[in-house]
Structures are given as C-alpha cells and as structure tokens.
Amino acid sequence: MAPTGEPILEADGLVKHYPLTRGVLFKKQIGAVKAVDGVDFTLGRGETLGIVGESGCGKSTVAKLLCSLERPTAGSIRFKGEDITRLSGRALKAVRRNIQMVFQDPYTSLNPRMTVGDIVGEPYEIHPEAAPKGDRRRRVRELLDVVGLDPEYVNRYPHQFSGGQRQRIGIARGLALRPEVIVADEPVSALDVSVQAQVINLLVRLQSEFDLSYVFIAHDLSIVRHISDRVGVMYLGRIVEIGGDAEIYDHPTHPYTQALLSAVPVPDPAARERRERIILTGDVPSPTNIPSGCRFRTRCWKAQRRCAEEVPVLAVPAAFRDTSGPAAHASACHFAEEILPAGRSAPGAVPPEGARGNGNGPG
Amino acid sequence: MLLDVRNLRVDFRTRDGVAHAVNGVSYHVDAGETLAVLGESGSGKSVTAQAVMGILDTPPGRISGGQILFRGQDLLKLKGEERRRIRGAGMAMIFQDALSALNPVMTVGDQLGEMFVVHRGMSRKDARAKAVELMDRVRIPAAAQRVRDHPHQFSGGMRQRIMIAMALALEPALVIADEPTTALDVTVQAQVMDLLAELQREYRMGLILITHDLGVVADVADRIVVMYAGRIVESAPVHDIYRAPAHPYTRGLLDSVPRLDLKGRQLSAIRGLPPNLVRIPPGCSFHPRCPLAQDVCRTDEPPLYEVSDGRGSACHFWRECLHGADR
C-alpha cells in the first residue's frame, strides 16, 4: 500500500553508524554500532506512519535523524522534496521548525527548573519569527487549552503534574511552532493504561485539527495499530516489512513480524488455548556484529543456506506483485511468498554461534 | 490455603502527610494457583506484596493492621530470624528490574549458590554445582561457563531467567512475581512467561503475578484481583472478568485497550487521574472518575459485594455495571 497524499517526508537509504574506538590519544576505529543500517520509507501528508520494533532495533535513532538531532552516516531525508541532511545554519533551523519531536519520558524531557509557561514558550525564544513577543503568553495559554490543561497552570512547575499531564505539556511544546510533522518516540509507554488512552485520543484529535503528519514510534503493537495508517516493522537497524496496518497485522509475510504479533498477549482469556504462539529462540544479535545475509536468520525457523548468503531486499514478493490482496506489501524475506509460517506449531530454530548478544544497543 | 492476606493496611509517612497505600486488602492463593493482581501505579499492588514478603521499608512504611497467614501462621507475629527462614525457602520474589535486583559485583553463580550455602548449609563447591543445574533448568545456554559471568554480561531476558532461577532455587511454595516481564520486549516476554508457567506447573507453586498488563493476565491467571487506591475493587475468576466486568474501573481499563473493531474511533479513556493517596476521596475512591457515580458513592464506602460464587465487586451499582447499563 502506497502512502496516501503527497509525500512530506522521505527517508532514503538512511544509515547511522556509531564508531567504536580503542585508545585514548590515537583513537583507532575498531568497529561500529550499526544502529540504523539502511532505512527507506515515505510519509504522506496527514498520514500516520507507525514504526514498531524491540529495544535496540534503531527506531529511536531513526527519530533523532528525522528531527536533525543526529546526522546520518549515509542516505538522505527529504522534507517536501528537499534533502535536509545537508543543510546547516539558517536553513537547517527553518526545517527544524517544521519537524518537532515528542519524547518518551515526560519526567526527564521537561526542565524541572522552568515553569510550564516557559517550557511551552521556549520554542518561540529559539524561533522568534514564529510569534511576536507580546503575543507569546497568549499563545502558550492557548496551547495548554488545546492539549486539555488548565491555562491557569502556566506558572506551575513540572513536578506538580502527573505523568499524563506532563506528556500533554511535552505535546504542547511540540505544537508551539505549528510544525507539519511530529515525530513521537514512545509517547505513551511511560504512562498508566487508563491515561494512555487519553493521550492517544489527544494525538488523534490534534492530527485532524492541525493537519499534522505523524511518525509514531512504539513497541506496543496494539497502540500502533490503533493510531497508524501504515506500519513499518524494524529489526536490527532495518525495516523488514512495511505496509498498511491491516496488511501488516492480518497478513504479515515476514517471519519476524509473524513472531512479534504472535507474542503479544491478548486481553482475552478465552483465546488462550486457541492461540498458536511462535516463541523465538535466543536474543537479538549485537548491532556491532550483524549476521550476514538476512539479519533475522539467526532466530528464524525458516532460515536456509540462501538466507546467510543473500541479503533480502525490501520489496513486494513477486507472486503478489500483480495482486491487490493484503499480501501485496513490501517484505524483506526470501520466503515471503509462503504466507502461513511453515513451522508455526514447531518453531525449532537453533541459534547458531554469534547469535548471543545482549540486545541492549541504542534503542 | 497457602497464603491468606486478611484486611491488610499499610501507611507511609510522607512530607505531605500519611499516605494510605493499602487500605484493607484481603486475598488468598492456593498451591498450584496463579492469582493476578492488576492495578496501575499507586494502586498498592506492589506494597501489598512487599508486606507479604517482609521486605517493606519501615519506616517510612508501617503495617497498621491485618494478618498475613502463610500456611496458617501469621507472618506479622514472627520474629526477624523466623521470618528470614521463610523468605527464600517458603516464599520468594521475582522483581521487575533484574539488573538492579542482582548484585553487580558478584558472579551469578555465587549469587545463586549463596541461597544453598545460607539456607541449606552446603559447601561452596556443591552450591556452585547446584547453580549450574538451576541455570540449565531455566534454559540459559552454556550454563557451566556462564555461571562465572556477572549480571551485566547477560541480556535482559537472560537476567530475568537468572532471577527466576534464584526465586525457585529452594523450591518455595509461593512465588510473587512483581511485573516480571514489564522491562522486556514482547518476544522475550513470551519466552519468560512460558518458562515461568512451566516451572509453576512442575513445582505446583502458588504464584502471585503483579502486573498492569491486561494481556499478560489473560494469558496465565486463574483468578484476578483488581486494585485501585489501595483497595480491591473487583475479584473474580479470569474468564468472568473479561467477559463482563462488575466494576466500572475494571470496565474502564478493559475499554481503554485499543481493539481491532474500534480502530479510528476514540478510545474510551477513563477520565481524570488516580487519587493522591494522602487524600483518598471519601466513599468509593473511584467516584470522581466513575460514569455510574451517584450521591451514595460520595458518602458510603462500598463493601466487596458478592456478585456470584467466588466473585466480588466493590461497587454499589455492580448490577448495572455487569449488565452494561452505562453503555
């Protein structure tokens, strides 16, 4: 499924490697943490692209790259057709105004010594052209109202708010410059279940009110499905499968997606016996030592010799290319055409050596 | 009955006043049974467990009332040394964050072996052999080599297995798992929950699973108690509660989980915030957030009404809730 609407943000061959060095004076590079290792996607205007993956898969690094908080090692990010990775100075600042971020942890992403009014109004200090000085106080109060906080709270400090309220403050700050794209990195995972729903509802409402496009990064698959038009699944620095939400959730063709979906606990005890779960063996390999060929092969029950030799490309499988069914979406697996996982009831993948790693790379 | 908690009360002295963390909680667990304690942060679910284990920080905490009967013996009347003997051998706990629960400067082998040295008086050499056996049991690959590793050398999932191994070392009758998989990724969570369920069946342990995840509960629990502001608001066999909750809070929790058929629509969030434990609202503590609240809810604290056999709800209007009158 192609993105709806004109593309607003396009990532092409995005790579971020963090060098590992040895020595103090003469730093010698001995390797690299391949946090993001070739990511492509397109975000359409007014669309929500969900990115799911487990810790260490590089999803947060993608978020930082999109917001120009990190510079990619290779690849490009185009905002409305213009490559923003090569910008600097004034041009970069102008682009940053349009792509804002909402962070995961509402406890550490707000300065405890600043009042709520100052936090939400700070973007206007950095981009004074966005609002005339006399108008800022009023705008901040408006923003608080928009995210469902009492505008009278402007002079309070972050510690006087609950987690859910703090996340609303973070969202108000993200909205201050009227951006076109918001990158939300795990925006609700630090919140209680009953409060999560409030914040999700707020994000959905703001999207239509302000004509926003979202990149929504999370590990909670049910929340991602609820909010996203399209979903990309990341594993070890790459998108392994991407498509419309129903395509991914109802017809996953990549074994990792299949395992991930089957592992999600469903709040329905009646389904306990019916469910067939794929329990993956082993851990995610270290991003410093990515397996050859398909990077999922060390944990995959379908893996064959070809998987170790040939890197699968992220493309619509040939057999489905001319169909319009839900399987016709991009998947980076040599065996994506076998829709039903071959060994679903007997997943006996044995992790070869090198599969052991701590899986706690940059998340 | 393995564990019987009766009318437990725990207070904490804080700067703002006395926080009533646990306000008359009663629950019980049988051998071989899994009881899920479901609640959000501040509901008192972990504090109750800490009181049962005897690891509550006192002060600032204080057990101000109730009984904790373990195999008929009131743990709150025991002396420190007697209590310590039960901890580890009779009951054990699995914590959420294995990295901070394990000792970073001891090898995992020494930590596992310590249990046998202290409780069983084994020699260090025998204890080491036992540690390897346990690590094998929780399926840590190459246990004989890895027994010499330190906690930071393991992945999150492997560390949680070591915690499980440690909890099960002395084959306790009761295991309390406090958010055992919350810090883990879903694929690893599935591995760990599977292992825990298998070991529980094998040893016929009573298991108290403390969690906020409605999905995990549905997968493994036999019975559920739902906690809110230090009280049990609903208690029921697992199938009943998901089919038809008898308390508006439980219903709210279930409804706030995104569901397939509701995509694109508003999630029905519970309005407002959990109460401050220093100032718990009078009457039913859930009334400021409740769609069914009436005058009586603001004044009278609801008892745990018997809804059916083995099922209770602390709501004056449980009948209306059960029949979905608010929808």
Side-chain angles (χ1 to χ4, degrees):
Chain A
M1 184 174 133
T4 50
E6 57 176 303
I8 187 159
L9 202 61
E10 295 159 274
D12 193 9
L14 212 51
V15 172
K16 180 70 190 176
H17 290 181
Y18 295 94
L20 289 172
T21 56
R22 181 174 287 159
V24 183
L25 197 54
F26 302 102
K27 285 203 175 117
K28 207 174 86 185
Q29 186 169 344
I30 53 164
V33 177
K34 296 174 178 167
V36 176
D37 204 24
V39 161
D40 313 272
F41 63 80
T42 305
L43 175 71
R45 183 182 287 283
E47 185 191 46
T48 301
L49 173 69
I51 295 183
V52 293
E54 300 181 283
S55 47
C57 74
K59 55 192 194 299
S60 292
T61 308
V62 167
K64 288 182 193 154
L65 291 170
L66 294 178
C67 296
S68 313
L69 294 174
E70 295 266 17
R71 273 186 189 269
T73 312
S76 70
I77 300 167
R78 285 193 302 280
F79 176 69
K80 293 184 181 168
E82 182 190 19
D83 187 356
I84 59 170
T85 56
R86 286 168 218 291
L87 299 179
S88 60
R90 195 167 296 162
L92 177 63
K93 203 170 158 185
V95 168
R96 278 188 171 153
R97 230 188 103 172
N98 282 313
I99 307 172
Q100 290 286 315
M101 189 155 173
V102 173
F103 296 90
Q104 168 173 10
D105 186 348
Y107 295 87
T108 56
S109 60
L110 305 177
N111 187 335
R113 290 161 192 263
M114 282 167 75
T115 64
V116 168
D118 290 340
I119 289 171
V120 176
E122 196 180 19
Y124 298 131
E125 306 280 326
I126 300 161
H127 300 272
E129 75 285 358
K133 230 177 184 147
D135 199 27
R136 289 181 195 164
R137 213 63 191 165
R138 187 184 61 79
R139 289 223 185 173
V140 167
R141 294 172 71 97
E142 266 177 27
L143 282 166
L144 290 181
D145 191 45
V146 161
V147 298
L149 290 172
D150 188 340
E152 298 306 311
Y153 290 165
V154 281
N155 291 320
R156 294 201 186 181
Y157 288 89
H159 74 265
Q160 294 171 291
F161 295 91
S162 69
Q165 289 173 319
R166 286 186 214 209
Q167 202 53 299
R168 287 171 194 265
I169 297 168
I171 293 170
R173 174 176 62 185
L175 285 174
L177 298 169
R178 298 296 304 272
E180 295 177 68
V181 176
I182 285 193
V183 179
D185 185 9
E186 300 269 11
V188 296
S189 53
L191 307 176
D192 271 323
V193 185
S194 74
V195 180
Q196 273 185 358
Q198 296 174 359
V199 173
I200 292 292
N201 284 343
L202 173 67
L203 287 170
V204 171
R205 177 168 64 80
L206 294 175
Q207 179 165 39
S208 53
E209 241 175 85
F210 294 93
D211 193 24
L212 294 165
S213 312
Y214 286 146
V215 176
F216 189 94
I217 295 170
H219 69 276
D220 186 320
L221 291 146
S222 56
I223 287 178
V224 168
R225 172 158 205 182
H226 182 81
I227 198 164
S228 305
D229 303 307
R230 287 188 311 130
V231 177
V233 181
M234 275 189 83
Y235 184 78
L236 214 55
R238 281 225 178 155
I239 291 182
V240 295
E241 185 165 7
I242 188 165
D245 66 286
E247 293 173 344
I248 297 293
Y249 283 79
D250 300 339
H251 297 272
T253 57
H254 195 284
Y256 176 62
T257 315
Q258 291 165 353
L260 197 62
L261 288 170
S262 82
V264 177
V266 181
D268 176 13
R272 217 191 267 186
E273 284 77 32
R274 282 188 272 117
R275 290 180 61 199
E276 282 193 60
R277 293 209 302 197
I278 305 166
I279 305 271
L280 289 178
T281 48
D283 286 326
V284 184
S286 161
T288 57
N289 183 18
I290 290 175
S292 66
C294 171
R295 50 197 63 212
F296 182 60
R297 71 175 165 87
T298 54
R299 300 173 77 195
C300 184
W301 64 97
K302 281 185 181 177
Q304 299 187 10
R305 169 165 297 170
R306 185 180 170 198
C307 302
E309 291 162 355
E310 209 179 312
V311 178
V313 288
L314 181 63
V316 181
F320 307 131
R321 209 158 286 160
D322 300 321
T323 65
S324 57
H329 62 271
S331 173
C333 175
H334 294 305
F335 304 104
E337 285 156 23
E338 308 164 17
I339 288 207
L340 282 175
R344 189 147 197 172
S345 50
V350 181
E353 68 280 333
R356 199 176 87 189
N358 67 6
N360 284 331
Chain B
M1 204 174 294
L2 186 61
L3 178 79
D4 189 10
V5 178
R6 290 186 187 168
N7 209 18
L8 187 73
R9 288 179 179 275
V10 182
D11 297 337
F12 282 88
R13 214 169 313 143
T14 70
R15 251 191 342 203
D16 305 329
V18 178
H20 302 279
V22 179
N23 302 300
V25 162
S26 305
Y27 60 60
H28 60 90
V29 191
D30 291 321
E33 185 187 39
T34 301
L35 173 75
V37 180
L38 187 74
E40 297 181 282
S41 39
S43 62
K45 58 191 195 300
S46 293
V47 174
T48 308
Q50 285 165 10
V52 171
M53 272 301 284
I55 55 169
L56 195 66
D57 281 331
T58 51
R62 189 174 70 98
I63 295 177
S64 56
Q67 290 174 303
I68 300 172
L69 302 174
F70 181 65
R71 292 171 166 154
Q73 186 179 30
D74 189 353
L75 297 181
L76 295 177
K77 295 211 173 79
L78 293 185
K79 289 201 185 61
E81 186 48 44
E82 297 170 314
R83 190 77 189 266
R84 190 148 47 234
R85 265 200 293 272
I86 291 177
R87 196 158 49 225
M91 56 171 76
M93 192 152 173
I94 299 167
F95 297 90
Q96 171 175 351
D97 184 359
L99 190 58
S100 55
L102 295 171
N103 187 338
V105 296
M106 264 171 97
T107 66
V108 297
D110 286 345
Q111 290 183 63
L112 283 166
E114 197 181 24
M115 308 279 295
F116 296 101
V117 175
V118 172
H119 284 273
R120 296 280 146 85
M122 280 189 190
S123 72
R124 291 182 64 84
K125 192 164 159 252
D126 292 348
R128 170 61 61 101
K130 273 288 202 187
V132 174
E133 195 185 308
L134 273 172
M135 284 170 69
D136 248 344
R137 196 68 205 78
V138 294
R139 293 190 220 115
I140 290 174
Q145 283 90 55
R146 303 220 73 191
V147 73
R148 281 186 289 275
D149 284 352
H150 288 84
H152 74 271
Q153 290 167 291
F154 291 85
S155 69
M158 287 297 154
R159 275 200 291 268
Q160 204 54 280
R161 286 167 194 264
I162 290 166
M163 287 272 289
I164 291 175
M166 195 174 283
L168 300 183
L170 303 175
E171 298 181 21
L174 175 71
V175 169
I176 302 175
D178 190 355
E179 304 267 9
T181 57
T182 306
L184 305 178
D185 283 317
V186 272
T187 56
V188 182
Q189 168 172 294
Q191 295 171 355
V192 170
M193 283 314 298
D194 250 37
L195 174 70
L196 195 57
E198 182 196 312
L199 294 171
Q200 184 209 11
R201 269 196 304 277
E202 197 178 311
Y203 293 118
R204 264 187 69 71
M205 312 177 295
L207 178 66
I208 299 180
L209 179 71
I210 299 170
T211 180
H212 69 279
D213 189 324
L214 292 151
V216 170
V217 172
D219 264 0
V220 299
D222 299 313
R223 279 187 308 120
I224 303 186
V225 295
V226 182
M227 286 187 70
Y228 186 78
R231 294 194 184 106
I232 287 178
V233 293
E234 183 163 5
S235 141
V238 68
H239 287 276
D240 296 358
I241 216 160
Y242 284 85
R243 202 179 306 126
H247 194 284
Y249 176 64
T250 319
R251 161 152 288 171
L253 280 183
L254 286 170
D255 285 353
S256 56
V257 176
R259 284 213 323 261
L260 214 63
D261 47 323
L262 296 175
K263 184 177 157 66
R265 278 196 256 163
Q266 284 256 309
L267 291 172
S268 57
I270 303 177
R271 66 183 176 200
L273 300 169
N276 182 332
L277 296 174
V278 177
R279 287 177 295 276
I280 294 178
C284 169
S285 49
F286 186 61
H287 83 253
R289 306 176 74 188
C290 183
L292 297 180
Q294 310 270 331
D295 284 341
V296 61
C297 305
R298 289 179 254 281
T299 51
D300 297 3
E301 186 187 325
L304 198 67
Y305 293 105
E306 186 171 342
V307 172
S308 59
D309 195 28
R311 181 157 194 206
S313 164
C315 176
H316 294 300
F317 300 100
W318 63 267
R319 281 192 185 81
E320 286 79 352
C321 183
L322 197 60
H323 300 123
D326 60 331
R327 284 200 163 158

